[in-house]
């Protein structure tokens, strides 16, 4: 839906600035340069750093095809976040409001020098105070229409990443977005990839089949995560059953296999075509410890009884 309400937004922005400081929302945007059109800032920076052309398939491909290639790369090491991003990508247009032109806003600290003959323009704003219920993105229709399909998809994922980011600037998430778009993210070792996710302001990531916190202490040795804090409610498939992780330490063997972890008092079973849920009366306080081959070594008494039942 296109709404002609620039003057309303201008008044709102002035009011918001007076009331809430510089709360304008993420500045997902691009560079407009003389005789070069408009280019997503993420991709402009990516070309400078990587010195290669973007690798998101045929420029004639559809948005869905380009997004699928992007998500295929992410899924190699982050299947859980891939599912989240795929859902948000499919909902993007439903959650967007297009207007003729975003009001002029103060240029944020982009972390780069704007090239001579170019200017930065914001294309998307996520300030919730400017959006109606159920909407996430306020988009400048004039600038959006000038983007290529690949640039549009790149901007969509910039905004999707931003929804998770706790960073004060968008520089780190622009870098992450470019690394995926230029097909470089899976060439990085684990410590480098962790650093990229942290710089993007993301609170968690995945390694060795687990989701772990980036805001709590963790240890990586020889490119293996050896100790971290599990994300609350992360599932762990063990013996064909889903164990619900607690927000507690997880440890790994040198080969990356899980060594010990704690679970909640909720277990999920599949018996035939039925999904069953079992809940005990209290937390399992002690950790579950496995051998390197995945067999159970030790654990809470009530879990040990359950693990020896016919369900397993």
């Amino acid at each position: 839906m296109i709404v002609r309400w620039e003057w309303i937004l201008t008044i709102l922005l002035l009011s918001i600035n007076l009331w809430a400081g510089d709360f304008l929302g993420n500045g997902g945007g691009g560079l407009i340069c003389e005789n070069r059109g408009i280019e997503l800032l993420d991709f402009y920076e990516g070309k400078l750093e990587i010195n290669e052309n973007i690798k998101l398939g045929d420029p004639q491909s559809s948005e869905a095809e380009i997004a699928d290639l992007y998500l295929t790369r992410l899924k190699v090491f982050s299947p859980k976040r891939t599912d989240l991003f795929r859902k948000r990508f499919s909902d993007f247009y439903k959650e967007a409001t297009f207007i003729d032109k975003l009001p002029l806003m103060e240029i944020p600290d982009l972390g780069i020098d704007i090239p001579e003959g170019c200017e930065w323009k914001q294309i998307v704003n996520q300030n919730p105070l400017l959006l109606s219920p159920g909407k996430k993105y306020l988009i400048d229709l004039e600038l959006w229409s000038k983007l290529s399909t690949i640039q549009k998809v790149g901007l969509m994922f910039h905004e999707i990443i931003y929804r998770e980011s706790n960073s004060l600037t968008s520089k780190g998430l622009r870098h992450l977005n470019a690394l995926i778009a230029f097909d470089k993210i899976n060439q990085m070792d684990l410590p480098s990839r962790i650093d990229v996710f942290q710089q993007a302001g993301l609170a968690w990531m995945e390694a060795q089949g687990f989701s772990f916190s980036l805001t709590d202490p963790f240890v990586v040795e020889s490119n293996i995560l050896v100790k971290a804090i599990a994300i609350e409610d992360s599932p762990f498939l063990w013996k064909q059953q889903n164990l619900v992780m607690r927000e507690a330490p997880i440890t790994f063997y040198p080969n990356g296999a899980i060594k010990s972890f704690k679970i909640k008092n909720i277990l999920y079973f599949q018996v035939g075509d039925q999904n069953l849920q079992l809940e005990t009366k209290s937390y399992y306080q002690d950790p579950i410890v496995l051998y390197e081959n995945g067999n159970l070594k030790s654990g809470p008494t009530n879990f040990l009884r359950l693990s020896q039942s016919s369900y397993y």
Side-chain angles (χ1 to χ4, degrees), residues 35-244:
N35 304 318
R36 280 174 44 194
I38 185 169
E39 182 175 22
L40 184 64
L41 184 58
D42 311 39
F43 294 169
Y44 169 81
E45 291 177 302
K47 287 179 182 178
L48 290 180
E49 178 185 348
I50 299 170
N51 197 30
E52 294 180 12
N53 291 323
I54 192 168
K55 297 178 181 178
L56 275 180
D58 189 332
Q60 304 304 314
S61 299
S62 68
E63 290 181 1
E65 290 169 331
I66 296 168
D68 190 63
L69 179 57
Y70 183 105
L71 292 169
T72 296
R73 295 168 185 170
L74 183 63
K75 189 173 183 178
V76 171
F77 64 89
S78 190
K80 181 177 179 179
R81 183 170 268 113
T82 298
D83 290 341
L84 174 65
F85 281 13
R86 191 179 300 279
K87 175 65 167 60
R88 288 181 174 173
F89 180 84
S90 67
D91 291 340
F92 189 88
Y93 284 107
K94 291 187 292 186
E95 297 178 328
T97 296
F98 290 84
I99 64 171
D100 283 346
K101 184 177 291 188
L102 287 177
L104 292 176
M105 301 176 188
E106 182 180 349
I107 296 177
D109 180 11
L110 298 173
I112 66 166
D113 294 325
I114 302 297
E116 186 176 351
C118 300
E119 61 176 335
W120 178 84
K121 289 285 188 180
Q122 186 174 32
I123 304 173
V124 182
N125 190 293
Q126 284 196 46
N127 190 330
L129 298 178
L130 299 178
L131 292 160
S132 56
K135 299 296 184 178
K136 301 293 184 183
Y137 318 104
L138 189 65
I139 302 176
D140 187 312
L141 178 63
E142 179 183 353
L143 297 177
W144 177 266
S145 64
K146 294 178 181 179
L147 295 172
S148 68
T149 305
I150 287 177
Q151 300 279 333
K152 288 177 180 176
V153 172
L155 182 52
M156 292 162 80
F157 280 114
H158 173 109
E159 300 303 325
I160 289 169
I161 295 170
Y162 174 71
R163 285 176 61 171
E164 285 192 65
S165 177
N166 58 22
S167 176
L168 296 177
T169 74
S170 66
K171 186 170 179 59
L173 73 90
R174 297 197 308 263
H175 182 54
L176 171 59
N177 195 26
L179 286 172
I180 300 173
F182 284 77
D183 199 14
K184 296 297 181 182
I185 192 73
N186 288 312
Q187 298 175 21
M188 306 175 76
D189 61 15
L190 180 60
S192 298
R193 197 160 57 236
I194 288 174
D195 183 64
V196 168
F197 272 66
Q198 288 181 312
Q199 293 300 316
L202 301 184
W204 61 275
M205 68 174 292
E206 295 164 82
Q208 296 148 217
F210 287 85
S211 302
F212 70 98
S213 171
L214 291 174
T215 59
D216 291 301
F218 58 85
V219 179
V220 175
E221 295 178 358
S222 301
N223 206 39
I224 296 293
L225 182 69
V226 296
K227 187 175 183 179
I229 301 297
I231 297 298
E232 185 82 9
D233 291 342
S234 292
F236 173 49
L237 183 64
W238 181 73
K239 303 290 186 181
Q240 286 73 54
Q241 310 302 334
N242 279 320
L243 308 182
V244 183

